[in-house]
Amino acid sequence: MEEEVRIKDSDLGSTFIDKIKKYKTYLIVGAVVIVIICIFLIFRSKGSSEHYDYLIVGSGLYGATFNYLAKLNGKTTYIVERRPVVGGNLYCEKMEDIWIHKYGPHVFHTDNKKVWDFVNNMTHFNPYIQQTVAKVEDKLYSLPFNMWTFYQLWGVTTPEEAKKKIDEQKYTGEIHNLEEQAMSLVGKDMYEKLIKGYTEKQWGRECTKLPPFIIKRLPTRFTFDTNYFNDRYQGIPEGCYNAMMDQLLKDTKIETGVDYNKNRKKYEKMADKIVYTGKIDEYFGYKLGKLKYRTVRWDTEVKDVANFQGAAVINQPDKNVPYTRVIEHKHFEPHNKELQAKQKTVVSKEFSEEWDETKEGYYPVNDEENNNLYKQYKELADKETNVLFGGRLAEYKYYDMKDIIENVFKQWNY
Ligand code: UDP
């Protein structure tokens, strides 16, 4: 019996070896596959060990300020930015030694001391007061609406005369749109000469179809004060906004050239919470329809003169001029005497256009139709429990810089 068993065992052994020989190739392939899977899992687990409190989508003012305060509160952050550079629309570039506000002129102004102190802690602000001029045909007018404007338009010299003139022609009914709002503030002449053409070019819509609040951004005053803003504090950072943004983004891991919406699977797991500052409709794949935005384009040229137009901004309310304003960038740095003396200047004509997917969205079109669509997107956004939607594009609101900073302060009870 024992002999028989031994014989059977050795038979079994040789069968096993034969089988191994037979399936050798399969076994090698299987082993290689297992090794590859193990390597993949090791790398994946290493990747996911990079976990943050916040993934911030967009390095503009909202994202950067949020980043700063998050870190101040001991949180970890990671930023993804679609553009090749950080700073959103505050990004500046030098041309002929002149700082160019690449995505449109930005003058920082606020009434809130805490906000002013906060930005001044980031970088030095040069004093700057925006004084805008408007050109219609061959005439120049001072903006915002002030005693100089009333004098230039009607020849009146006292506040009483100016008020009388406005009272004679102002709209007194209920206000439903921008036209009625403008006519109730400054009367028909001023509306037709300085508001209608500019507004319809900027927004690509009739003033009767636009919301009243847009024109209320501009002060109307019966003094000779030509400051474009009413706020107590105003300035532009030394080294343009890059210096300020660099501080807000200091020591932060930032990946540029990343479209979050196209790579969401990869990034959303990286953090407990997401701060999204892009377009809200794009976040939801435009599934309820596209919100409308206005975009801006500049035709920029270098001129071999020290001073081309004598002002940083000359508005063009004339409907026959295709651009809305002309920017002469060096006048945003009036303290820089060397630059002012230089026989070179950079001038940009600003054109306002309707947004499409090939362009950058700048201004939300807050008319009734778009606000209603935004409300529906907002309902979806509210259901995204770990995503915070913040800023001009994500909240579809015409915010100024100071509003953005105040909003982030509120998020952090700062
Ligand atoms: N506006 C105008 N004429 C001008 C400048 C402005 O009618 O010469 C109106 C226009 O409707 C514009 C609004 O005032 O949208 C607000 O202007 P603001 O300068 O605040 O616009 P920004 O370019 O700063 O967003």
Side-chain angles (χ1 to χ4, degrees):
M1 281 293 278
E2 269 189 283
E3 181 69 62
E4 219 178 287
V5 169
R6 226 178 286 130
I7 291 163
K8 275 186 183 164
D9 275 347
S10 76
D11 276 350
L12 271 175
S14 66
T15 319
F16 182 63
I17 288 163
D18 286 349
K19 277 190 178 162
I20 286 182
K21 278 182 186 160
K22 194 174 167 193
Y23 295 112
K24 194 171 134 197
T25 325
Y26 295 108
L27 287 170
I28 290 171
V29 170
V32 169
V33 168
I34 289 168
V35 169
I36 290 172
I37 291 172
C38 287
I39 292 171
F40 172 73
L41 289 175
I42 289 166
F43 270 99
R44 210 167 147 234
S45 77
K46 271 197 174 171
S48 65
S49 72
E50 269 193 53
H51 197 83
Y52 298 86
D53 293 316
Y54 290 97
L55 172 77
I56 301 173
V57 182
S59 65
L61 190 58
Y62 193 99
T65 310
F66 193 97
N67 175 64
Y68 186 89
L69 289 187
K71 292 178 106 160
L72 203 65
N73 281 275
K75 305 292 182 193
T76 54
T77 59
Y78 190 92
I79 297 185
V80 286
E81 164 61 52
R82 179 149 57 180
R83 289 182 184 160
V85 288
V86 296
N89 286 356
L90 289 180
Y91 174 70
C92 303
E93 242 171 41
K94 264 193 174 174
M95 226 172 140
E96 301 291 343
D97 291 333
I98 301 163
W99 279 113
I100 311 295
H101 301 201
K102 179 124 194 255
Y103 298 98
H106 284 85
V107 179
F108 199 95
H109 56 97
T110 178
D111 240 353
N112 183 332
K113 185 162 187 316
K114 211 158 100 181
V115 169
W116 183 240
D117 288 344
F118 178 80
V119 293
N120 276 270
N121 268 339
M122 299 302 133
T123 190
H124 171 74
F125 269 68
N126 287 313
Y128 176 83
I129 301 286
Q130 178 59 36
Q131 297 182 89
T132 305
V133 175
K135 187 174 183 205
V136 184
E137 288 153 3
D138 58 348
K139 296 245 161 31
L140 296 175
Y141 301 89
S142 171
L143 280 179
F145 311 107
N146 67 81
M147 280 305 296
W148 283 115
T149 334
F150 307 139
Y151 171 69
Q152 286 146 353
L153 195 67
W154 298 312
V156 294
T157 56
T158 64
E160 202 187 334
E161 284 174 303
K163 277 183 190 154
K164 193 164 164 257
K165 199 81 189 153
I166 290 174
D167 283 347
E168 278 166 20
Q169 48 171 274
K170 80 175 189 187
Y171 172 78
T172 52
E174 214 178 300
I175 293 164
H176 309 95
N177 56 51
L178 193 151
E179 177 173 294
E180 290 166 354
Q181 179 68 78
M183 299 245 279
S184 87
L185 287 170
V186 287
K188 191 164 180 280
D189 291 351
M190 202 83 60
Y191 166 68
E192 283 177 352
K193 187 142 286 203
L194 298 172
I195 299 174
K196 192 175 188 318
Y198 187 95
T199 302
E200 294 190 346
K201 273 194 287 185
Q202 179 175 352
W203 295 97
R205 285 155 179 78
E206 288 169 24
C207 288
T208 49
K209 304 256 161 52
L210 287 165
F213 83 87
I214 292 178
I215 195 66
K216 282 180 92 179
R217 290 168 57 87
L218 293 194
T220 302
R221 53 173 95 95
F222 296 89
T223 64
F224 288 93
D225 177 3
T226 56
N227 186 345
Y228 199 66
F229 305 109
N230 267 341
D231 289 333
R232 191 181 299 235
Y233 311 104
Q234 192 173 159
I236 294 178
E238 174 72 34
C240 211
Y241 291 90
N242 297 358
M244 178 176 108
M245 298 307 273
D246 286 350
Q247 282 306 308
L248 292 172
L249 297 168
K250 205 172 151 194
D251 301 327
T252 304
K253 283 196 178 162
I254 306 174
E255 228 182 304
T256 53
V258 173
D259 186 334
Y260 173 73
N261 290 316
K262 289 191 183 135
N263 296 281
R264 220 182 277 181
K265 274 211 174 88
K266 178 176 170 196
Y267 290 98
E268 65 189 356
K269 291 192 198 84
M270 278 178 71
D272 293 342
K273 288 206 165 125
I274 290 156
V275 178
Y276 179 81
T277 70
K279 288 164 67 253
I280 188 168
D281 51 346
E282 189 181 351
Y283 180 92
F284 291 106
Y286 302 109
K287 67 177 167 190
L288 303 175
K290 283 183 185 162
L291 285 164
K292 301 229 164 71
Y293 300 85
R294 292 296 283 175
T295 188
V296 196
R297 170 176 71 77
W298 291 272
D299 270 4
T300 297
E301 55 180 319
V302 177
K303 297 197 183 277
D304 292 324
V305 290
N307 183 7
F308 174 70
Q309 64 177 15
V313 184
I314 298 204
N315 285 3
Q316 307 284 333
D318 197 330
K319 70 174 188 324
N320 299 313
V321 175
Y323 38 89
T324 46
R325 53 187 179 179
V326 181
I327 317 295
E328 186 174 0
H329 303 267
K330 76 192 304 189
H331 296 303
F332 287 120
E333 301 176 73
H335 54 277
N336 189 340
K337 301 287 176 282
E338 208 180 301
L339 191 70
Q340 295 303 323
K342 205 174 154 185
Q343 289 298 306
K344 289 261 185 217
T345 192
V346 180
V347 175
S348 302
K349 284 179 185 151
E350 183 173 308
F351 295 82
S352 182
E353 294 170 347
E354 197 70 9
W355 172 88
D356 69 40
E357 270 170 90
T358 63
K359 298 169 185 156
E360 297 275 357
Y362 280 85
Y363 294 95
V365 179
N366 289 117
D367 60 8
E368 211 183 319
E369 184 194 334
N370 284 288
N371 281 348
N372 285 339
L373 181 56
Y374 166 71
K375 266 187 215 149
Q376 293 173 43
Y377 275 118
K378 172 84 170 71
E379 277 169 24
L380 292 181
D382 289 343
K383 288 184 194 140
E384 299 277 290
T385 45
N386 68 337
V387 186
L388 171 69
F389 292 78
R392 215 183 236 218
L393 299 176
E395 294 178 69
Y396 201 64
K397 279 201 186 73
Y398 193 178
Y399 283 135
D400 281 333
M401 290 185 275
K402 59 177 174 179
D403 306 319
I404 297 286
I405 294 181
E406 275 177 16
N407 288 353
V408 182
F409 279 6
K410 276 182 211 143
Q411 287 295 332
W412 287 103
N413 293 321
Y414 182 77

